[in-house]
Amino acid sequence: MFFSAAYLFKRMKLLINDSTDPAFNLALEELIASELSEEIVMLWRNAPAVIVGRNQNTEAEIDAEAVRERGIKVVRRITGGGAVYHDLGNINYTIAANDRQLDTEAFSRNAKIIIDVLRGMGVDAGFHGRNDILVDGRKISGSAKSVFTDRTLFHGTLLFDTDLSVLGKVLTPDEEKIKAKGIKSVRSRVANLKEFLPEWDVECFLQELISGLCKVLGLDSASPIPGYLIEKAEVLANEKYRSWQWNFGSNTGYTYHCRRRFPSGSVEVRFEVKDNRIAGMVFYGDFFGLAPASELADKLNGLCPSFEEISKVLKNTDVSEYISGVSADDLLTLFRLG
């Protein structure tokens, strides 16, 4: 039997989240799914960020150096799937439903509300594969889900005017640098909806999206986000979504290596990451030093493999004692980590 989106989602409220902080937004989304009893559709945007899937190895998904240079946040979400790039040209939607949607049709059923609104704008969108919305054979939206005790969280992207050149740079890790197990992202041909709605900007699209959702849901307007939920989301963001352990920690472990040539000689670093700690670090190369490079490696073994922690140690070490002619800043270029 065919059900319209208006029938399927007639009990839902529409919330508009004005925050662009990715850590806060993902925390708010988790609370909406886990603590509210109402069925919700929420629209939100992130400032430039890479959002990594729950089961992924973050280091294997991103170019950490490119991310750091651009000041882009990296945050892990609670749903599965692959890493995605968000900026203010992308609008995210969240659907929190009051049932455990385990069937294979769940993605297409929940994407229907968005597809109906897009078609109302004159965009010939359709569902494809496991969890994508396509226009003219190109992906404009991907989605993911997480199942709670008695609720299901769905969320997805809507690329309207995202900087696809940045997307290509920050989601292109050096495959030779990190050898990791875990769920890898699948890259697809993507497009911005602006190609199909050239007269609109992202603000116009957002307002039309709100209007279209209100029509489909049978609502007069969107509802405000409860103040107590905003306060709880800020606490959860600090405790979880802004932590290195959540965003970069990995149960799978990985091996890392990087080599660079400096005027005083070549230097290569190799190590493993086990239980989110550096182990077995070794420096190789044709460099000279007054003290054994193994002593420098020992200073770094046991650290959390974050650029910040490694930087803190190296900045307080006379690196040239171990690798002549190389400064702490020079050596840090070998550690292209998040």
Side-chain angles (χ1 to χ4, degrees):
M1 181 181 293
F2 173 79
F3 294 101
S4 69
Y7 178 84
L8 287 170
F9 299 99
K10 65 180 180 180
R11 299 167 297 170
M12 288 190 158
K13 281 187 174 181
L14 175 62
L15 303 181
I16 310 300
N17 174 17
D18 293 326
S19 167
T20 59
D21 176 351
F24 172 86
N25 291 342
L26 289 170
L28 178 63
E29 182 181 62
E30 178 180 338
L31 292 174
I32 283 172
S34 63
E35 297 204 359
L36 294 188
S37 58
E38 301 160 301
E39 297 202 307
I40 300 293
V41 178
M42 182 173 71
L43 298 179
W44 48 286
R45 289 192 289 172
N46 279 334
V50 173
I51 308 299
V52 182
R54 173 67 180 264
N55 303 309
Q56 293 191 295
N57 185 314
T58 302
E59 295 288 3
E61 292 298 320
I62 67 171
D63 184 323
E65 198 168 24
V67 165
R68 213 164 33 243
E69 287 174 354
R70 291 168 173 79
I72 293 171
K73 301 286 180 64
V74 178
V75 186
R76 188 187 299 278
R77 61 182 186 266
I78 60 171
T79 58
V84 292
Y85 173 68
H86 290 178
D87 63 14
L88 294 176
N90 168 72
I91 295 172
N92 301 291
Y93 67 90
T94 298
I95 297 174
N98 277 340
D99 53 1
R100 302 182 81 246
Q101 299 188 26
L102 303 173
D103 60 291
T104 57
E105 303 300 318
F107 280 113
S108 60
R109 189 166 57 247
N110 283 276
K112 180 170 175 51
I113 185 174
I114 301 299
I115 290 171
D116 281 4
V117 173
L118 291 176
R119 288 179 175 173
M121 298 175 184
V123 177
D124 187 19
F127 192 79
H128 179 78
R130 185 181 66 167
N131 59 341
D132 295 338
I133 298 175
L134 271 57
V135 179
D136 281 356
R138 290 189 291 165
K139 179 176 175 178
I140 56 93
S141 174
S143 58
K145 73 173 181 175
S146 183
V147 179
F148 294 76
T149 302
D150 54 4
R151 277 165 73 83
T152 303
L153 167 70
F154 289 86
H155 56 189
T157 56
L158 280 169
L159 298 172
F160 184 81
D161 195 15
T162 291
D163 190 336
L164 300 180
S165 67
V166 174
L167 181 154
K169 291 181 175 67
V170 299
L171 293 181
T172 310
D174 183 346
E175 298 290 349
E176 292 303 312
K177 180 188 70 174
I178 290 179
K179 302 295 184 184
K181 298 177 182 179
I183 309 291
K184 289 291 292 176
S185 297
V186 177
R187 307 300 176 204
S188 304
R189 291 180 65 235
V190 297
N192 274 313
L193 280 162
K194 188 171 177 62
E195 292 184 34
F196 312 101
L197 298 166
E199 302 301 317
W200 294 6
D201 61 20
V202 68
E203 298 297 338
C204 177
F205 175 68
L206 177 57
Q207 292 308 311
E208 291 294 326
L209 188 59
I210 293 170
S211 176
L213 283 169
C214 284
K215 182 178 180 181
V216 167
L217 297 173
L219 301 171
D220 294 327
S221 62
S223 300
I225 298 170
Y228 81 91
L229 208 59
I230 292 174
E231 293 177 6
K232 292 188 75 169
E234 186 61 34
V235 172
L236 181 59
N238 284 330
E239 292 177 348
K240 180 175 180 178
Y241 289 99
R242 295 187 179 113
S243 72
W244 184 95
Q245 185 69 27
W246 172 255
N247 293 323
F248 286 89
S250 172
N251 293 325
T252 61
Y254 56 90
T255 60
Y256 177 97
H257 83 273
C258 186
R259 180 180 182 276
R260 301 201 77 157
R261 174 163 287 281
F262 302 102
S264 57
S266 65
V267 182
E268 179 180 359
V269 63
R270 290 181 177 267
F271 58 85
E272 294 186 358
V273 173
K274 298 178 179 178
D275 298 322
N276 296 314
R277 296 290 165 180
I278 294 171
M281 180 177 289
V282 180
F283 288 103
Y284 296 105
D286 58 1
F287 56 84
F288 295 98
L290 298 176
S294 59
E295 292 181 7
L296 177 60
D298 286 342
K299 292 177 181 289
L300 302 175
N301 278 321
L303 291 182
C304 167
S306 73
F307 184 84
E308 288 74 18
E309 283 210 16
I310 294 169
S311 176
K312 191 183 302 181
V313 172
L314 291 182
K315 291 289 181 69
N316 288 300
T317 300
D318 185 357
V319 171
S320 64
E321 284 284 309
Y322 306 95
I323 304 174
S324 296
V326 173
S327 67
D329 286 334
D330 291 333
L331 196 62
L332 277 170
T333 63
L334 273 74
F335 295 92
R336 302 173 185 177
L337 299 162

